[in-house]
Amino acid sequence: DALAEAHRAARYAAFQGWSLDPAGAEAVFGQVAASLRGRTTPATVAGARSAEAPGLVVVTLLVAAKGPLPPLPSALGLPALMAALEGIVPARPDLLADFALVWTPADEGAPLSPAEVEALYPELLRLDDGAAPGRRVCGSCRAVYAGGLARCPACGGA
């Protein structure tokens, strides 16, 4: 609910989904959460401060469901972000397999600059300017990948 209330402050976004068997889902969930938590350290953040203001935080919501979730939006933008937030948590608690909220940086007093966000999270796309140059959004899994690749490295789609 708090994320939905603050969605107008969003500057970057990305959507990604997988349909996996329970064993595969558990492994992917753990890998994605660990990868996100390991992208910044206090030294990374402190060493990269700039005159850009205000600072940003990256909030990642990971949801594993026992069954399909509503389809992810086909386009990025504030309305699509709100739709994704409204539909990401299963309606019934027994259908929720796992949930993680990763807040980066963890230190509330050390927000990231836009340059840091773009360097540490290349999969995120600007909501105000559209997709960053050289990036594409996969039509199948919604992953963001380098525009020079012929196929999505996450799922093989285009």
Side-chain angles (χ1 to χ4, degrees):
D1 289 342
L3 290 175
E5 288 176 24
H7 86 280
R8 290 193 191 321
R11 297 295 171 254
Y12 297 85
F15 306 117
Q16 191 168 6
W18 301 274
S19 292
L20 304 166
D21 62 77
E26 186 174 338
V28 168
F29 193 93
Q31 290 169 352
V32 170
S35 169
L36 291 165
R37 288 184 180 108
R39 291 196 191 183
T40 62
T41 65
T44 302
V45 174
R49 289 276 60 94
S50 72
E52 296 179 70
L56 302 170
V57 295
V58 175
V59 180
T60 305
L61 184 59
L62 299 171
V63 175
K66 299 173 187 172
L69 290 171
L72 291 170
S74 60
L76 287 176
L78 289 179
L81 177 60
M82 190 63 191
L85 287 173
E86 288 175 349
I88 195 161
V89 178
R92 295 186 1 227
D94 62 312
L95 295 177
L96 183 64
D98 206 346
F99 175 88
L101 182 68
V102 180
W103 184 278
T104 307
D107 178 3
E108 189 176 317
L112 301 170
S113 71
E116 288 174 294
V117 169
E118 291 176 14
L120 295 168
Y121 296 88
E123 69 274 19
L124 294 179
L125 299 176
R126 288 179 183 236
L127 291 174
D128 54 355
D129 298 333
R135 296 186 192 168
R136 297 172 63 184
V137 179
C138 176
S140 300
C141 73
R142 310 301 311 149
V144 178
Y145 62 96
L149 298 176
R151 297 244 174 250
C152 172
C155 74

